[in-house]
Amino acid sequence: MTMTEATGSGTGRAEGTTRSSTINGTAVNSGAVASRVPYTVPQPPVTIDAAIWPSIAAVPSSLKARVAGRAADAIFKAAVRRLPLEVRYPDGTVLGKAGLGQGAPGNDARGEVTPARTAYPVMTINRPEAFATRLGDGGLIGLGESFMAGDWDADDLTAVMEVFASRVGTLVPEPLQKLRGLYLPHQPRRERNTEKNTRSNISRHYDLSNELFASFLDSTMTYSSALFPESGDALRNVPWDGLAAAQQAKIDRLLDKAGVKEGTRVLEIGTGWGELALRAAARGATVYSVTLSSEQQELARQRVAEAGYADAVTIELKDYRAVEGEYDAVVSVEMIEAVGFEYWATYFQTIERVLAPGGKVAIQAITIAHDRLMATRTSYTWVHKYIFPGGVIPSVRAIEDITEKQTGLRVRERLAMGEHYAQTLRLWEERFMARADEVGAMGFDAVFQRMWLFYLCYSRAGFETGYLDVQQIVLDHALTKSAATPGAI
């Protein structure tokens, strides 16, 4: 396993909630934050390994970065002043609604208890100058990198990120938003999802380590949104013990919608670790599954063989564009996000080409509002740099427009289930942090763990606020009549 900054691993995971870290050769303290979550967030090691984490070990020091940092500091402070946050600085300054006297209960100047008020999520800025410089130099990339470095902490990272996610279009003044394309980085050409690059993009995430993913996934090894039977408050408190069954329920619904039964020829685009292929084979289907992750292929093949379905399931290391043959059902779970918006038409054209007459397509896709897609589709973000290189989340409108204008496929049904993804992510987050020692023993240091936590909480905040959604979408050939009514169900 080759480690780079985007997949960083190392040693020296620190213990406790307050540590001294060395940034640019200077020892600085990370403040302790009373946590509102059931785990302790690891602090960066005393010295961050610059060979693994060059962007984290050193704060940007160019004149451009310093000037941008001063501007970012002013913009950030102005933006958070009236947000439902408590932003604490080392000099005692408190910004956000808490700083306006609208925070939690306390004592007034006479020592009398003040009335109960809302307790806001706490964001503690440990190193204000480093935080502002990274933010100015990299925008949202800098926000994530500054958390990885320990420049700031939170008592509930998801809650803090929810505040920002729900206001993402208005945090930065509109005139400056229009200039961001001139200043912020764009996706590197080497990360575009051409047939040459896609294997590398997929490998950087999914080939990290099967053991790493097993540390926080349930026994089905399913790495996508579950579909729980609960709703409302019960869904928000769903326990870990219900996750595996909810993952299988999600898969079964997709297989049902695709009409998978005994004798069905199934194409799966994106194998994962094999659970969908296993459940399709258990119905008597034959499955041809393609992946670009060698780690996933190895474990999925092992699971298929152990279950006794080796004759019914074929798992190959192959780009979806190279698939040949004819299939009665095509199923793909949260794969389209890795395709890249330039290739969405190719993705659906490939599906159309291999789908037999009368066949069904069932995909699960993370989605975003169309206006946000159009505003951000060429952006290069923290998620691209550290988690999913080359990825772009589609909108429902984009999927419908592309299939209607560039293929003979049509969307027949949709099920939105974003609230289920929020709770899936909560369970992964809690499980991952509960196993921090095991993850550290695998060679994934505290910087990596903070990166992964930021990824999980950043994602969960998107679903909690509705900035992101996840859909199960059913398609078929345009000439096929469907009894279902298009639109959300």
Side-chain angles (χ1 to χ4, degrees):
M1 176 169 57
T2 301
M3 291 298 167
T4 67
E5 183 169 52
T7 58
S9 177
T11 57
R13 186 175 62 81
E15 301 291 339
T17 59
T18 304
R19 283 301 301 259
S20 174
S21 300
T22 301
I23 305 290
N24 283 356
T26 303
V28 286
N29 289 323
S30 296
V33 180
S35 180
R36 301 200 303 182
V37 292
Y39 52 77
T40 298
V41 179
Q43 291 299 313
V46 173
T47 301
I48 295 175
D49 190 339
I52 300 173
W53 303 106
S55 297
I56 310 304
V59 178
S61 58
S62 68
L63 176 61
K64 174 186 172 184
R66 295 197 302 271
V67 171
R70 288 194 288 271
D73 185 53
I75 292 170
F76 176 80
K77 288 177 176 176
V80 301
R81 286 188 190 279
R82 295 191 175 275
L83 295 184
L85 285 174
E86 181 175 337
V87 183
R88 301 175 182 172
Y89 282 80
D91 64 1
T93 298
V94 177
L95 298 179
K97 285 190 174 181
L100 298 175
Q102 301 173 6
N107 290 4
D108 64 15
R110 296 172 295 178
E112 297 178 1
V113 176
T114 59
R117 295 185 296 266
T118 302
Y120 298 116
V122 176
M123 179 181 187
T124 300
I125 311 298
N126 301 316
R127 297 187 283 266
E129 186 175 350
F131 170 73
T133 301
R134 292 185 200 271
L135 195 62
D137 188 60
L140 288 177
I141 293 177
L143 181 68
E145 289 182 339
S146 61
F147 180 79
M148 293 164 64
D151 296 338
W152 65 279
D153 280 292
D155 66 340
D156 182 338
L157 182 55
T158 298
V160 169
M161 296 307 295
E162 281 182 42
V163 173
F164 295 132
S166 62
R167 298 161 177 83
V168 70
T170 59
L171 286 172
V172 177
E174 189 173 349
L176 294 178
Q177 289 189 42
K178 293 178 180 178
L179 295 175
R180 67 182 174 185
L182 301 174
Y183 181 77
L184 294 178
H186 291 273
Q187 184 184 63
R189 290 188 64 83
R190 66 180 180 278
E191 292 184 6
R192 292 184 62 208
N193 280 300
T194 62
E195 291 189 58
K196 178 181 178 181
N197 295 341
T198 300
R199 174 74 189 277
S200 172
N201 286 345
I202 293 295
S203 178
R204 278 174 55 185
H205 185 81
Y206 295 98
D207 286 346
L208 280 170
S209 160
N210 285 336
E211 291 74 21
L212 171 69
F213 287 99
S215 73
F216 66 92
L217 298 179
D218 63 86
S219 58
T220 69
M221 287 294 287
T222 306
Y223 188 39
S224 51
S225 179
L227 181 59
F228 297 95
E230 293 87 353
S231 60
D233 290 342
L235 176 59
R236 297 191 65 81
N237 295 289
V238 69
W240 172 263
D241 291 346
L243 181 57
Q247 291 288 13
Q248 292 175 333
K250 171 271 301 293
I251 291 170
D252 290 344
R253 186 181 188 279
L254 284 168
L255 295 177
D256 289 345
K257 291 296 181 180
V260 176
K261 57 185 184 299
E262 186 172 0
T264 301
R265 298 167 298 171
V266 178
L267 168 65
E268 180 186 23
I269 300 177
T271 307
W273 284 275
E275 186 68 16
L276 188 147
L278 285 170
R279 296 189 74 76
R283 295 184 177 207
T286 57
V287 183
Y288 183 72
S289 184
V290 295
T291 178
L292 288 176
S293 166
S294 56
E295 289 271 322
Q296 287 187 332
Q297 181 195 39
E298 179 182 359
L299 183 54
R301 281 179 167 177
Q302 177 185 324
R303 295 181 70 208
V304 165
E306 290 174 352
Y309 293 120
D311 291 339
V313 178
T314 300
I315 301 172
E316 290 197 358
L317 209 61
K318 180 179 288 187
D319 190 288
Y320 70 91
R321 287 164 284 206
V323 171
E324 299 291 342
E326 184 178 79
Y327 302 90
D328 306 306
V330 179
V331 186
S332 187
V333 180
E334 294 180 25
M335 161 68 187
I336 191 172
E337 304 86 349
V339 167
F341 78 90
E342 310 103 308
Y343 301 99
W344 289 336
T346 303
Y347 173 78
F348 284 112
Q349 287 163 358
T350 300
I351 291 174
E352 179 189 17
R353 172 171 56 80
V354 301
L355 185 65
K360 292 278 191 179
V361 181
I363 70 172
Q364 184 162 305
I366 299 172
T367 59
I368 194 171
H370 193 68
D371 62 332
R372 296 309 306 163
L373 166 64
M374 300 308 292
T376 62
R377 65 181 183 174
T378 61
S379 299
Y380 185 65
T381 68
W382 180 88
V383 171
H384 290 123
K385 183 173 180 178
Y386 289 96
I387 307 297
F388 292 114
V392 180
I393 294 173
S395 66
V396 170
R397 177 176 163 184
I399 292 172
E400 292 178 337
D401 285 352
I402 288 169
T403 52
E404 288 180 11
K405 296 174 182 178
Q406 300 188 54
T407 79
L409 299 174
R410 295 294 181 269
V411 172
R412 302 300 186 184
E413 299 182 25
R414 289 193 289 111
L415 173 70
M417 44 190 269
E419 67 274 19
H420 293 259
Y421 218 150
Q423 299 314 309
T424 303
L425 284 156
R426 172 180 61 82
L427 294 171
W428 289 347
E429 169 197 334
E430 292 172 358
R431 185 80 160 186
F432 178 75
M433 296 309 299
R435 296 188 166 185
D437 288 336
E438 295 175 36
V439 173
M442 295 175 197
F444 296 100
D445 67 7
V447 179
F448 178 94
Q449 292 177 38
R450 288 176 72 92
M451 177 192 79
W452 207 258
L453 176 63
F454 189 84
Y455 152 56
L456 294 174
C457 294
Y458 178 97
S459 301
R460 180 181 161 201
F463 291 103
E464 290 280 13
T465 60
Y467 182 79
L468 298 175
D469 204 346
V470 64
Q471 315 259 346
Q472 287 194 350
I473 302 174
V474 181
L475 308 95
D476 60 20
H477 288 295
L479 297 180
T480 302
K481 298 297 183 182
S482 172
T485 301
I489 60 173

